[in-house]
Amino acid sequence: MSALHFTVTFLLLTLLLEVNKAKSQSFIGVNYGQVADNLPSPAATSKLLQSTSIQKVRLYGSDAAMIKALASTGIGIVIGTANGDIPALASDSNFAKNWVDTNEVAYYPASKIILINVGNEVIMSGDNNLISQLLPAMQNVKNALDAASLGDKVKVSTVHSMTLLKQSEPPSSGSFDPAYGDMLKGVLAFNNATGSPFAINPYPFFAYRSDPRPETLAFCLFQPNSGRLDGNTKINYMNMFDAQVDAVRSALDAMGFKNVEIVVAETGWPYKGDSDEVGASIENAKAYNGNLIAHLRSMVGTPLMPGKSVDTYLFALYDENLKSGPTSERSFGLYRSPISP
């Protein structure tokens, strides 16, 4: 791991230590991926998190050691079911009950689990069998929580890719792909009825990669720029994050779900990439993550959701050195693992 990467981690550490753990910081979370063989111990990770203003951690599964390590810290924990468990969760209420008993009830109340995500980006998976079973699986998990008297403490949702949107520019014209209409309406009706959030993964990095102009980079990094005017609302958007989140807000409103809250389940910027991965650099990672944190802390909100900050989980706590794909996939870590090369 280079000295420059250590500079990134030190800067982010400073930003996340600046403000104590006041309730106003509860909207800052972080993703804890585990596709790696060099991660610090759960105890060390818990200690690191407690030294920061991070108030929530999203796990992609339900790792027992990490859930136990976060016990009695007050840090909110998001856990997830594997996509492969969805058919059993959907068809067998006893399987759902056992899953909830094992992964939630067993740790209550010491570990503060606040949300269970049933699967990850299922609707965009292309697996029609899995897609059709997503909502029944969510309902069975919710029923199991209700039976354990935890339905009012733990929400149930799922996480969506931004490609679920058919249109996102300008933000006011945001709309979901009608190909997923019926399935999506069912999930949104569930979110609406249970008060659970609609979770999305916006990445301005990918928007810049497909439009690598200097003005686009500044727009993505919350840096000074002339903005982008939404001709319908006459709102001049000054950063890509707000534009992407408001496009989702518009899409939800257009479907009649104005009361469903949005959560940003993932967003981040890689500090390193392959030669063809434009924009992946230490300077840009520092700028995006640092300016995003400052933007969230300002509580200015987005133009369509002013005066509050959307719960946002930064991607990711550590690099995941066993991930496949381009170099950027292994280069999103905010903190350096002590045993990274």
Side-chain angles (χ1 to χ4, degrees):
M1 187 65 64
S2 70
L4 284 175
H5 184 207
F6 186 79
T7 302
V8 175
T9 58
F10 179 76
L11 174 68
L12 266 295
L13 177 63
T14 303
L15 284 165
L16 291 166
L17 283 172
E18 278 177 352
V19 180
N20 62 22
K21 295 182 180 182
K23 285 188 177 180
S24 62
Q25 302 303 304
S26 64
F27 43 76
I28 297 177
V30 69
N31 285 269
Y32 175 65
Q34 295 173 277
V35 187
D37 61 6
N38 59 357
L39 297 176
S41 69
T45 296
S46 177
K47 186 175 180 180
L48 168 63
L49 290 167
Q50 290 176 73
S51 73
T52 75
S53 57
I54 293 170
Q55 289 285 277
K56 298 176 181 177
V57 178
R58 178 188 170 210
L59 310 182
Y60 287 84
S62 53
D63 182 71
M66 196 65 224
I67 294 172
K68 290 177 182 176
L70 292 170
S72 304
T73 64
I75 294 173
I77 307 167
V78 177
I79 62 175
T81 77
N83 284 5
D85 283 339
I86 288 175
L89 289 168
S91 62
D92 187 346
S93 59
N94 285 326
F95 183 92
K97 179 184 183 301
N98 290 337
W99 194 97
V100 168
D101 287 347
T102 301
N103 298 291
E104 158 59 38
V105 177
Y107 306 110
Y108 179 81
S111 296
K112 187 182 174 184
I113 296 173
I114 56 175
L115 176 66
I116 298 173
N117 283 320
V118 177
N120 187 52
E121 299 188 351
V122 174
I123 293 181
M124 299 304 296
S125 68
D127 186 331
N128 290 330
N129 182 50
L130 203 62
I131 293 168
S132 67
Q133 296 179 89
L134 175 60
L135 181 56
M138 293 170 68
Q139 291 168 331
N140 277 346
V141 170
K142 169 64 174 167
N143 291 340
L145 286 168
D146 289 343
S149 300
L150 292 173
D152 60 338
K153 297 178 176 65
V154 185
K155 300 297 184 183
V156 177
S157 191
T158 188
V159 180
H160 306 280
S161 163
M162 285 291 288
T163 54
L164 196 61
L165 290 172
K166 182 179 182 180
Q167 185 166 338
S168 60
E169 293 183 25
S172 62
S173 68
S175 61
F176 295 116
D177 190 328
Y180 307 103
D182 290 342
M183 179 61 211
L184 188 56
K185 282 180 182 176
V187 170
L188 285 169
F190 175 91
N191 292 142
N192 191 56
T194 64
S196 66
F198 184 80
I200 57 166
N201 295 337
Y203 279 89
F205 167 68
F206 295 120
Y208 173 61
R209 199 170 66 178
S210 62
D211 180 15
R213 295 175 296 170
E215 57 266 35
T216 302
L217 182 61
F219 188 66
C220 288
L221 297 180
F222 301 86
Q223 293 174 336
N225 66 93
S226 58
R228 294 186 179 180
L229 182 67
D230 185 324
N232 299 323
T233 60
K234 307 306 179 186
I235 293 170
N236 194 34
Y237 280 84
M238 301 308 297
N239 66 80
M240 180 67 78
F241 179 83
D242 283 356
Q244 289 184 327
V245 172
D246 273 0
V248 175
R249 179 75 271 159
S250 294
L252 289 170
D253 293 354
M255 286 186 72
F257 294 100
K258 296 184 178 183
N259 294 325
V260 173
E261 297 279 340
I262 295 170
V263 163
V264 173
E266 288 181 23
T267 190
W269 198 286
Y271 65 86
K272 184 170 62 175
D274 294 326
S275 59
D276 61 344
E277 292 190 285
V278 61
S281 73
I282 291 161
E283 293 74 17
N284 290 345
K286 290 195 312 188
Y288 180 75
N289 288 297
N291 290 336
L292 172 61
I293 291 168
H295 181 60
L296 293 171
R297 284 185 171 156
S298 75
M299 296 294 287
V300 68
T302 72
L304 296 185
M305 294 180 289
K308 67 171 186 175
S309 288
V310 169
D311 282 8
T312 299
Y313 291 79
L314 304 173
F315 187 84
L317 188 61
Y318 303 120
D319 289 339
E320 295 176 84
N321 68 325
L322 298 182
K323 273 193 167 182
S324 59
T327 297
S328 62
E329 286 293 310
R330 297 174 292 282
S331 308
F332 276 88
L334 299 178
Y335 294 95
R336 180 187 183 206
S337 169
I339 50 179
S340 293

